[in-house]
């Protein structure tokens, strides 16, 4: 029986500087995955405009951020020649498939999305339709390449589950048609065997930094939109700034615990230990073995030195690259052309499956 070709897809919104959470939760893991997989990495600019213009900053800011995020991918070690790097809006098929998915996904499914509730806040009536339908576009981003694996931070888990629900409903609704056109791969759906066109994409989530928390509040996720710059380490921060932010990071007054269970109910300590573990490719238990019982006055300088050693080379590359806009733009153009060939192949099939006439 044939199976879906393994393919990795992921994206980041160009809504501001990338931070340590984006890096440890996503981009750094993308770099590792490119060793043994075909990968497509996307700057999802269409997602960036789902909030008010005052939030995303307008056209010039969007263009600057798109180039900066691309520079961050390259500085972090993404290979844009071997793999594909592009900005989403260049490949029109994402939006085209998103429309089909708007007609597959149910209102009830989207009503459950916690990110919409968080971002829309109390004024839901005033939120854009785009912000509400965002997960359908995200499903299209992934499935227009029939990607099988998506490395993301834990905050994206619910959207990945929705992507699977959309794929499943499309496969079931059109199973006969998919079989008639010979476009399916035989898969199990409950007790039934059906002809699936889309894979049920696997999220790749995990490790000690799947959810990096704010340095000012260990119960809130580190985020680009937090008004306090001290809450996050930006990938563009210089050495002094990184050290200062770690020195000022909120902690409790206890020393680090001597076993990992001691991190429960200590969100700030747990977060800093998780960051250390991710930066050294180990786990939290390993960090506790080395630092258990130590005061933060010992642990924080060690963490600051480590973060500087790992992040400063990326920051210096990131300061250099965006100045070369011609190079960044050529990477995105080339990646967009290669992505569009793959996306159009899927869309030709989708149009036939749904019943849209085409030449
Ligand atoms: N704090 C985090 N810890 C681990 N992973 C994270 N990611 C984001 N924040 C963390 C992961 O980074 C990837 C890209 O995220 P995004 O820019 O597309 O969207 P986001 O989750 O909305 O990022 P922010 O920083 O939280 O932006 P704002 O403040 O605009 O909402 C994703 O894989 C995400 O999981």
């Amino acid at each position: 029986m044939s199976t879906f070709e393994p393919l990795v897809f992921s994206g980041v919104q160009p809504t501001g500087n990338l931070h340590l959470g984006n890096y440890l939760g996503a981009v750094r893991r993308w770099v590792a995955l490119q060793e043994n997989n075909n990968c497509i990495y996307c700057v999802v600019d269409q997602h960036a405009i789902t909030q008010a213009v005052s939030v995303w900053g307008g056209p010039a800011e969007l263009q600057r951020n798109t180039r900066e995020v691309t520079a961050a991918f390259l500085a972090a070690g993404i290979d844009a020649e071997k793999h594909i790097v592009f900005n989403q809006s260049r490949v029109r098929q994402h939006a085209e498939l998103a429309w089909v998915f708007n007609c597959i996904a149910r209102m009830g499914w989207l009503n459950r999305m916690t990110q919409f509730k968080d971002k829309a806040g109390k004024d839901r009536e005033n939120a854009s339709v785009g912000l509400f339908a965002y997960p359908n576009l995200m499903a299209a981003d992934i499935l227009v390449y029939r990607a099988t694996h998506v490395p993301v931070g834990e905050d994206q888990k619910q959207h990945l589950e929705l992507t699977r629900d959309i794929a499943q409903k499309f496969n079931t609704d059109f199973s006969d048609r998919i079989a008639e056109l010979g476009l399916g791969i035989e898969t199990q759906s409950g007790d039934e065997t059906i002809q699936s066109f889309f894979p049920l994409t696997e999220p790749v989530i995990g490790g000690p930094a799947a959810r990096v928390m704010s340095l000012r509040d260990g119960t809130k996720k580190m985020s680009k939109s937090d008004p306090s710059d001290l809450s996050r380490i930006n990938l563009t921060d210089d050495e002094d700034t990184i050290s200062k932010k770690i020195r000022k990071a909120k902690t409790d007054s206890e020393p680090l615990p001597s076993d990992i269970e001691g991190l429960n109910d200590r969100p700030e300590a747990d977060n800093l230990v998780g960051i250390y573990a991710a930066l050294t490719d180990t786990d939290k238990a390993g960090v506790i073995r080395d630092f258990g019982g130590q005061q933060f006055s010992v642990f924080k300088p060690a963490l600051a030195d480590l973060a500087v050693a790992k992040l400063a080379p990326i920051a210096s590359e990131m300061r250099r690259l965006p100045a070369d806009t011609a190079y960044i733009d050529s990477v995105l153009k080339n990646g967009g052309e290669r992505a569009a060939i793959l996306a159009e192949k899927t869309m030709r099939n989708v149009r036939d499956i749904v019943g849209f006439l085409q030449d």
Side-chain angles (χ1 to χ4, degrees), residues 260-294:
I260 187 156
E261 284 74 35
L263 290 172
N264 295 341
D265 303 321
R266 294 182 65 189
E268 283 84 15
D270 184 59
N271 189 36
L272 295 185
V273 169
I275 292 172
Y276 194 102
L279 287 172
T280 46
D281 285 316
T282 155
D283 55 13
K284 289 181 191 175
V287 180
I288 291 297
R289 265 197 303 281
D290 291 345
F291 287 96
Q294 302 269 21

Side-chain angles (χ1 to χ4, degrees), residues 42 45-46 86-100 137 140-141 144-145 332-333 335-348 351:
C42 187
D45 49 5
Q46 288 171 311
F86 70 106
N87 58 307
Q88 179 191 30
S89 59
R90 275 178 198 275
V91 180
R92 314 284 192 263
Q93 289 81 354
H94 289 232
E96 186 183 357
L97 185 58
W99 178 257
V100 175
L137 177 57
D141 298 335
V144 83
Y145 303 102
L332 294 172
K333 179 170 186 286
E337 284 166 2
R338 286 154 62 210
I341 292 169
L342 302 175
E344 178 56 14
K345 195 167 160 232
T346 304
M347 273 320 295
R348 286 201 72 78
R351 292 181 206 115

